[in-house]
Amino acid sequence: MKTYSYKKSHALFNRAAKVIPCGIYGHFSPAPLIPVSDYPFYASRGKGSRFRDVDGNEFIDYMCAYGPMVLGYNHPKVEAAAAKYQKAGSCLMGPSPVMVELAEYMVDLISGMDWAFFAKNGGDVTNYAAMIARSATGRKKIVAISGGYHGVAPWMQAPGHHGLIEEDYVNMIRIRWNRFDEFEKAVKENPGQIAGFIASPYHHPTFVDNELPGDGYWQKVQALCNKEGIVLIIDDVRCGFRLDMRGSHVYFGFEPDLVCFCKAIANGHPISALMGKNSLKSEAARVFYTGSYWFQSAPMAAALATLKELRRINGPKIMLERGKKLLDGMVKIAANHGFTLKVSGAPSMPYLRITDDETLMLHQQWCAECTKRGAYFTSHHNWFISTAHTDADIKRTWDIVDEACKVIKKQYM
Ligand SMILES: Cc1ncc(COP(=O)(O)O)c(C=O)c1O
């Protein structure tokens, strides 16, 4: 099997490092890609489940641009819908009627939600949700999960990160995932002071196994929030439309007050949404919140087309099933070589780890060996499955996994 080289990618990165902080910053930074020499940095095009890098290497993409790609790159229905509005003028002096259509469609689609508000990034709407919770309750504190990610606004970042001041996080209470007792304790110790509880539908931190909610966890959290007047905010930015079209809260059987969507909502077009219950609608209207490009019609049309298509084909079911098939096969192949591949999280966005080496080095090497043979895997973050991943992709991935296992077995065992 041929292995890839990345001459152009790495040359571009060297140029970038001179004029762009970090060369590539944020979640696309090569920092967690180990060994970094085995990964491409710059992409040139995508179609279906695959993308090409600037060196012409083709990859089956198991990161899906970190989530936005859900129906496959360059999906004809989504691109046609966006192109129609782009041609007419996407950023005009006022919103387009498609904004109303999208809001109506999402209110019909998402369980228990009565209104929708659109922005660009996931962090725009998680921040707005916290502002609404504070405005509605007149309280300051927000409870969140240790290791939970909601974006890059200062209050969302962990103490110690550069650029933060103490005031950014003094009103944040971080508790452990699945520890309802810690939430109860926080409520008891901060009577009448907690505005909101924010968490993703299940816990998907980086570098460690992901964790589904324990039996009754969400139902107990919801009951306590309702009793104490705490706004329950679900950050469905990552899981949204990969577990259930009606919102991941339906998958786990509870009812939040506010739900944040982004990533998969428009198959790569820039748009996010905050949805909420009627009880918070006038409060949402009171909080001033907007952005230069938040009314662009093309991403709204792309979102409408994406959601309609995902609903038509029952996208989450496809992704959960394909993910399961892929992962079951991979676990077996790894076991044939004497490796234990542990899968956690939902099969449509699994986190994997070879557990035979606690330092993660063996696992990192294995992910890199797969990547440089054409199955793009990261070792630190959950992966994403799309509806465009085919049986042929899965079969090809199994072959790559098999060969990568042979290579690392020689090095490590
Ligand atoms: C669960 C979750 N919330 C919020 C965000 C922030 O979204 P964005 O990067 O679009 O601001 C992310 C991004 O990865 C996320 O995974």
Side-chain angles (χ1 to χ4, degrees):
M1 211 176 266
K2 181 177 162 269
T3 55
Y4 296 167
S5 58
Y6 307 109
K7 227 173 128 201
K8 286 188 187 161
S9 246
H10 291 204
L12 263 175
F13 185 79
N14 289 338
R15 275 172 58 196
K18 295 190 181 121
V19 288
I20 299 171
C22 291
I24 304 173
Y25 40 78
H27 61 297
F28 279 139
S29 160
L33 305 174
I34 297 169
V36 77
S37 55
D38 285 348
Y39 280 87
F41 299 154
Y42 291 89
S44 62
R45 62 181 59 204
K47 182 85 193 136
S49 61
R50 298 177 182 222
F51 76 93
R52 277 187 187 274
D53 69 4
V54 287
D55 288 278
N57 304 308
E58 189 181 64
F59 301 85
I60 304 169
D61 188 358
Y62 288 103
M63 290 308 292
C64 295
Y66 278 82
M69 188 277 268
V70 66
L71 285 168
Y73 290 114
N74 241 314
H75 188 275
K77 284 187 185 169
V78 178
E79 293 316 308
K84 184 175 149 203
Y85 283 83
Q86 194 65 47
K87 202 163 169 226
S90 183
C91 189
L92 301 174
M93 190 44 242
S96 150
V98 76
M99 181 175 184
V100 185
E101 236 187 294
L102 178 60
E104 285 171 347
Y105 189 81
M106 290 190 72
V107 165
D108 175 58
L109 177 67
I110 304 302
S111 175
M113 297 293 116
D114 301 305
W115 52 267
F117 175 103
F118 304 108
K120 285 287 153 203
N121 292 295
D124 295 336
V125 288
T126 51
N127 188 51
Y128 184 38
M131 289 175 79
I132 293 171
R134 284 174 166 155
S135 178
T137 57
R139 304 172 184 171
K140 290 183 181 174
K141 296 188 190 287
I142 302 282
V143 175
I145 307 296
S146 305
Y149 185 76
H150 304 295
V152 290
W155 69 263
M156 301 168 192
Q157 297 203 31
H161 281 198
H162 289 267
L164 304 193
I165 55 172
E166 201 188 340
E167 286 80 355
D168 291 325
Y169 49 82
V170 285
N171 288 308
M172 293 302 296
I173 303 170
R174 293 272 181 180
I175 60 173
R176 282 173 291 179
W177 170 250
N178 259 341
R179 291 292 299 266
F180 178 67
D181 59 316
E182 293 193 8
F183 184 33
E184 271 183 317
K185 186 166 170 270
V187 170
K188 211 177 258 170
E189 287 175 357
N190 300 273
Q193 294 174 66
I194 300 175
F197 176 100
I198 184 168
S200 47
Y202 75 82
H203 195 40
H204 42 55
T206 46
F207 291 103
V208 292
D209 297 338
N210 290 188
E211 279 181 74
L212 298 178
D215 269 354
Y217 175 71
W218 273 126
Q219 292 68 26
K220 281 188 272 183
V221 168
Q222 183 192 332
L224 188 55
C225 284
N226 292 350
K227 179 166 166 267
E228 297 290 331
I230 295 167
V231 177
L232 177 52
I233 305 163
I234 288 308
D235 178 350
D236 214 358
V237 166
R238 202 180 304 179
C239 299
F241 314 111
R242 280 190 161 89
L243 297 178
D244 193 300
M245 282 309 290
R246 298 162 294 174
S248 304
H249 52 286
V250 177
Y251 192 78
F252 292 119
F254 68 102
E255 273 189 35
D257 299 306
L258 295 171
V259 185
C260 311
F261 293 108
C262 186
K263 293 204 183 276
I265 191 172
N267 203 43
H269 289 265
I271 180 166
S272 58
L274 180 70
M275 299 194 68
K277 286 193 173 300
N278 259 335
S279 53
L280 290 169
K281 189 157 161 259
S282 52
E283 213 53 56
R286 264 197 278 267
V287 175
F288 181 70
Y289 209 57
T290 189
S292 295
Y293 295 104
W294 290 10
F295 293 90
Q296 277 181 315
S297 59
M300 292 179 184
L304 194 56
T306 301
L307 295 176
K308 282 183 179 173
E309 186 63 4
L310 281 172
R311 192 186 209 176
R312 186 184 73 77
I313 62 176
N314 196 353
K317 184 165 180 282
I318 294 174
M319 289 181 268
L320 287 161
E321 285 173 2
R322 295 225 177 120
K324 182 161 183 341
K325 179 173 173 179
L326 169 79
L327 298 162
D328 286 351
M330 285 175 56
V331 169
K332 268 190 211 140
I333 294 164
N336 289 343
H337 293 280
F339 293 120
T340 308
L341 186 58
K342 184 172 182 201
V343 178
S344 57
S348 51
M349 32 181 282
Y351 177 75
L352 284 87
R353 185 168 64 88
I354 295 182
T355 58
D356 305 281
D357 166 23
E358 286 301 324
T359 68
L360 271 189
M361 275 178 67
L362 186 155
H363 178 60
Q364 286 165 338
Q365 181 75 38
W366 175 79
C367 287
E369 294 294 343
C370 291
T371 299
K372 67 181 183 189
R373 287 169 176 80
Y376 192 103
F377 293 166
T378 61
S379 55
H380 67 294
H381 195 283
N382 71 268
W383 304 353
F384 296 90
I385 308 296
S386 77
T387 62
H389 285 94
T390 62
D391 281 343
D393 289 332
I394 292 174
K395 169 79 184 53
R396 173 77 188 152
T397 305
W398 286 339
D399 291 344
I400 290 171
V401 163
D402 189 52
E403 183 156 313
C405 284
K406 282 184 200 148
V407 173
I408 54 164
K409 200 169 171 180
K410 271 196 202 138
Q411 284 180 27
Y412 285 88
M413 291 176 104

